[in-house]
């Protein structure tokens, strides 16, 4: 009886799997052959999701506008054509409003952030947070960021400690800088990780990133949200999130009790919590403490990890290309001289430095793939007869697009001139997607550029960077974003 039961169960599983894996065959859509139970994820060989899509992109590009894949047992669509990507991200946004990331704030408040929020909830949160990222608000925070940039320079100076040249882990250095920036501009907390080696807050930030789910577990939770909800899955461990919740709650309590006002994001969130509006502007609605907590965690992760990674990658590329490094250094000096000081306006006027940053973001995009989910009852891909049901996932492979020779000749070569205004005009608008596009683009884009420029200006004006014999870059696969798996070592020489 047991043998018969096992045989029947095996037969049922076989036919169920075969039916699931016939989705694209039944619709005559080209797709790689899936393997149970991972679908096409088994072909990625442990690589980051976006790098795995890059291989498939190269295989199918030029043959059609999209192709199908399987994530575990579920079908998903990968877009190859940029006009079709534009349709999905911008023109047909009302049918594809969600990113497809796991979100269950009732069980795990951290998943109620702006990145993961869905539908009306996302729209409500976006309207509340948009006023926080205006040029006016960022300009008020600029002096704080500038002072931390000076500490960044001092930190590297101490690392060299009198030596003419010294090998330094720029990934670690940049992480300390952005941790202090986000702590201060976001929450008015003097973290001082640039001055303290064993900093409790920085240690908690590291645990926040390292304590997350494995890549497969994270992809599974996004692909099967109903199963994830059933098991009350939580993205982060309770110990780490409790630490941040306590820090945020204590800071809010202190400010409200002592009527403390600061030019930072927490002050703006407190206004929304108590008044439902910012600086007397139009009502946008009240924030709950759970919402403040979720957005705070998101600000920490997005603000310090992705910007630190991009800073270290930019220094790496400039170390590989000393002629571009010197040109960036001269451009910075000329701009500061033009404005007579390192002002907010001067930072925004550093166009060549921005070209270097953009080329870095092209080569090493933090988000290697953009995800969208069909939120209407059904959605027909424009120009096709393929109708996708509600809940179907669509991916736009950012890393692959950024490394496509059709848009960027010699795509693996670092060349800031690609982002000169006249070159940008020649390319499709969606050939560069480090901050996504459309209504769900990155709300913190201006803040990211400001952080990157301030950090790089303070370093490039005082130090020269070159490759060391131990310099190597390999992407990790654990996080949502593309980061170096290990330390990123460069030689640093005082000018």
């Amino acid at each position: 009886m047991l043998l018969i039961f096992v045989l029947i169960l095996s037969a049922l599983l076989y036919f169920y799997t075969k039916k699931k894996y016939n989705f694209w065959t039944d619709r005559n859509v080209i797709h790689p052959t899936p393997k149970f139970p991972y679908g096409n994820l088994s072909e990625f060989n442990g690589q980051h999701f976006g790098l795995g899509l890059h291989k498939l992109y190269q295989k199918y590009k030029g043959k059609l506008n999209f192709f199908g894949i399987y994530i575990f047992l579920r079908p998903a669509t990968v877009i190859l054509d940029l006009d079709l990507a534009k349709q999905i991200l911008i023109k047909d946004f009302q049918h594809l409003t969600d990113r497809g990331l796991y979100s269950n704030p009732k069980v795990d408040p951290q998943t109620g952030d702006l990145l993961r929020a869905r539908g009306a909830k996302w729209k409500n949160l976006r309207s509340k947070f948009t006023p926080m990222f205006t040029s006016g608000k960022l300009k008020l925070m600029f002096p704080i960021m500038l002072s931390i940039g000076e500490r960044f320079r001092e930190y590297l100076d101490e690392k060299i400690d009198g030596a003419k040249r010294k090998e330094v882990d720029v990934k670690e250095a940049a992480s300390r800088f952005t941790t202090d920036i986000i702590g201060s501009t976001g929450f008015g907390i003097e973290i001082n990780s640039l001055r303290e080696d064993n900093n409790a807050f920085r240690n908690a930030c590291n645990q926040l990133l390292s304590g997350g789910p494995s890549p497969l577990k994270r992809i599974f939770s996004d692909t099967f949200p109903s199963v994830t909800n059933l098991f009350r899955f939580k993205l982060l461990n309770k110990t780490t999130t409790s630490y941040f919740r306590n820090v945020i709650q204590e800071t809010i309590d202190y400010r409200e009790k002592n009527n403390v006002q600061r030019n930072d994001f927490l002050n703006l969130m407190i206004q929304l919590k108590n008044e439902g509006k910012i600086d007397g502007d139009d009502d946008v609605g009240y924030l709950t403490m759970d919402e403040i907590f979720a957005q705070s965690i998101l600000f920490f992760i997005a603000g310090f990890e992705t910007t630190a990674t991009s800073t270290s990658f930019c220094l790496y590329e400039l170390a590989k290309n000393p002629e571009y490094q010197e040109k960036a250094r001269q451009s910075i000096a000329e701009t500061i001289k033009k404005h007579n000081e390192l002002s907010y306006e001067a930072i925004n006027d550093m166009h060549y430095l921005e070209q270097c940053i953009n080329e870095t973001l092209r080569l090493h995009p933090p988000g290697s793939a953009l995800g969208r989910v069909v939120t209407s009852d059904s959605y027909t891909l424009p120009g096709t007869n393929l109708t996708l049901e509600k809940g179907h996932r669509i991916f736009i492979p950012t890393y692959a697009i950024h490394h496509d020779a059709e848009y960027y000749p010699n795509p693996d070569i670092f060349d800031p001139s690609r982002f000169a205004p006249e070159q940008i005009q020649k390319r499709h608008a969606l050939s560069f997607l480090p901050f996504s596009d459309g209504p769900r683009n990155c709300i913190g884009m201006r803040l990211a550029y400001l952080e990157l420029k301030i950090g790089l200006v303070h370093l490039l004006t005082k130090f020269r960077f070159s490759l060391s014999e131990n310099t190597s870059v390999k992407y990790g696969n654990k996080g949502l974003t593309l980061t170096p798996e290990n330390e990123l070592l460069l030689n640093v020489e005082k000018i």
Side-chain angles (χ1 to χ4, degrees):
M1 289 296 292
L2 180 61
L3 180 60
I4 292 171
F5 175 76
V6 170
L7 289 173
I8 291 173
L9 190 63
S10 299
L12 288 173
L13 181 61
Y14 171 79
F15 287 111
Y16 176 77
T17 303
K18 188 173 178 61
K19 181 181 178 183
K20 286 289 185 180
Y21 284 161
N22 274 340
F23 181 90
W24 289 123
T25 303
D26 292 344
R27 289 159 179 77
N28 295 315
V29 172
I30 292 178
H31 63 282
T33 304
K35 294 179 181 178
F36 181 81
Y38 299 115
N40 296 119
L41 295 179
S42 56
E43 298 181 39
F44 291 8
N45 297 322
Q47 285 187 310
H48 200 279
F49 185 74
L51 300 184
L53 288 184
H54 183 214
K55 288 184 179 179
L56 297 176
Y57 179 96
Q58 291 175 311
K59 180 179 180 180
Y60 295 118
K61 177 73 192 299
K63 298 178 182 178
L64 62 170
N65 290 343
F66 65 93
F67 64 92
I69 60 169
Y70 292 94
I71 301 177
F72 297 104
L73 294 176
R74 289 213 166 165
T77 302
V78 181
I79 304 301
L80 296 169
D81 179 72
L82 294 188
D83 287 330
L84 189 51
K86 183 177 181 179
Q87 197 83 26
I88 289 164
L89 292 176
I90 303 171
K91 295 182 179 179
D92 291 346
F93 177 75
Q94 70 273 22
H95 302 295
L96 304 122
T97 59
D98 297 348
R99 292 181 183 273
L101 300 175
Y102 170 67
S103 178
N104 188 352
K106 290 181 180 179
V107 171
D108 185 0
Q110 190 269 322
T111 62
D113 61 41
L114 189 59
L115 183 72
R116 295 175 175 276
R118 301 169 184 163
K121 180 68 174 177
W122 164 79
K123 189 175 182 180
N124 180 266
L125 284 174
R126 180 84 179 201
S127 66
K128 290 175 182 176
F129 284 97
T130 296
M132 297 186 188
F133 292 91
T134 62
S135 295
K137 295 291 188 296
L138 294 179
K139 190 173 183 179
L140 289 173
M141 299 175 194
F142 179 75
I144 300 172
M145 299 171 77
L146 204 60
S147 66
I148 296 173
E150 291 168 2
R151 273 188 245 160
F152 190 20
R153 174 183 52 76
E154 291 168 3
Y155 170 84
L156 218 57
D157 205 5
E158 291 169 6
K159 278 284 180 186
I160 295 177
D161 193 25
K164 184 179 179 182
R165 178 184 297 178
K166 195 169 184 179
E167 190 179 65
V168 175
D169 179 4
V170 293
K171 177 188 171 187
E172 169 68 15
S175 295
R176 289 173 180 267
F177 164 65
T178 55
T179 300
D180 284 3
I181 283 264
I182 290 300
S184 189
T185 60
F187 308 98
I189 303 169
E190 293 299 324
I191 296 168
N192 288 325
S193 68
L194 284 165
R195 291 174 177 164
E196 298 176 9
D197 283 336
N198 190 24
N199 184 277
F201 191 93
R202 170 144 175 75
N203 291 339
C205 286
N206 288 333
Q207 289 174 21
L208 193 68
L209 295 172
S210 61
S214 67
L216 275 178
K217 189 175 181 181
R218 190 182 64 248
I219 293 170
F220 184 91
S221 69
D222 294 338
T223 308
F224 301 102
S226 56
V227 176
T228 312
N229 288 336
L230 181 66
F231 289 98
R232 301 177 71 83
F233 170 72
K234 293 190 176 182
L235 280 180
L236 302 171
N237 68 70
K238 188 176 181 180
T239 303
T240 306
T241 53
S242 294
Y243 173 87
F244 282 101
R245 182 182 282 274
N246 291 336
V247 168
I248 294 160
Q249 185 68 65
E250 287 171 8
T251 307
I252 290 174
D253 291 345
Y254 177 81
R255 289 195 187 188
E256 291 184 334
K257 182 179 179 180
N258 297 280
N259 194 28
V260 175
Q261 302 291 322
R262 276 184 60 110
N263 291 321
D264 57 29
F265 291 115
L266 187 60
N267 194 67
L268 301 176
M269 285 195 282
I270 291 171
Q271 287 185 45
L272 287 176
K273 180 177 83 74
N274 296 332
E275 304 168 26
K277 55 187 175 182
I278 292 176
D279 294 340
D281 291 339
D282 295 337
D283 288 348
V284 290
Y286 292 89
L287 276 182
T288 66
M289 277 305 303
D290 276 347
E291 288 172 338
I292 290 177
F293 168 67
Q295 309 324 311
S296 299
I297 294 289
L298 175 62
F299 286 166
F300 278 127
I301 294 175
F304 97 84
E305 188 201 25
T306 56
T307 312
T309 297
S310 296
T311 300
S312 52
F313 274 140
C314 190
L315 291 172
Y316 165 71
E317 293 296 344
L318 292 175
K320 283 172 61 180
N321 299 276
E323 69 279 15
Y324 296 139
Q325 183 181 161
E326 190 57 40
K327 186 174 180 179
R329 189 174 289 113
Q330 290 176 0
S331 173
I332 290 167
E334 289 168 4
T335 307
I336 293 174
K337 184 178 179 180
K338 173 184 170 183
H339 289 266
N340 297 315
E341 61 177 342
L342 183 54
S343 61
Y344 180 78
E345 289 73 20
I347 285 285
N348 286 318
D349 199 23
M350 293 181 180
H351 303 303
Y352 186 75
L353 181 61
E354 188 165 316
Q355 288 178 217
C356 293
I357 291 170
N358 284 338
E359 178 67 345
T360 300
L361 293 172
R362 180 192 70 80
L363 278 170
H364 313 281
S368 61
L370 302 175
R372 291 295 183 268
V373 170
V374 176
T375 48
S376 298
D377 290 337
S378 64
Y379 174 69
T380 301
L381 275 184
T384 76
N385 58 1
L386 177 64
T387 299
L388 305 173
E389 300 302 316
K390 187 174 185 177
H392 186 93
R393 302 185 76 189
I394 298 175
F395 293 100
I396 297 167
T398 309
Y399 183 91
I401 292 168
H402 284 192
H403 288 77
D404 189 332
E406 180 184 346
Y407 314 120
Y408 301 99
N410 300 313
D412 296 327
I413 302 298
F414 180 82
D415 181 4
S417 68
R418 299 183 200 270
F419 288 91
E422 64 275 12
Q423 294 300 320
I424 294 173
Q425 292 298 320
K426 295 177 182 178
R427 289 192 297 269
H428 195 289
L430 266 71
S431 61
F432 185 58
L433 291 166
F435 298 98
S436 185
D437 209 330
R440 280 202 86 142
N441 68 343
C442 177
I443 197 172
M445 179 175 68
R446 287 177 178 172
L447 175 63
Y449 274 115
L450 197 56
E451 279 188 69
L452 282 161
K453 286 183 177 180
I454 287 173
L456 290 168
V457 164
H458 278 90
L459 297 193
L460 291 173
T461 51
K462 300 295 181 182
F463 306 99
R464 185 171 288 109
F465 297 85
S466 58
L467 302 181
S468 86
E469 60 182 14
N470 298 312
T471 303
S472 66
V473 171
K474 181 183 177 183
Y475 293 126
N477 70 340
K478 293 181 180 179
L480 278 172
T481 58
L482 276 182
T483 59
E485 185 174 46
N486 301 307
E487 57 189 7
L488 207 170
L489 297 169
L490 296 176
N491 284 328
V492 182
E493 178 184 353
K494 199 169 184 178
I495 297 175

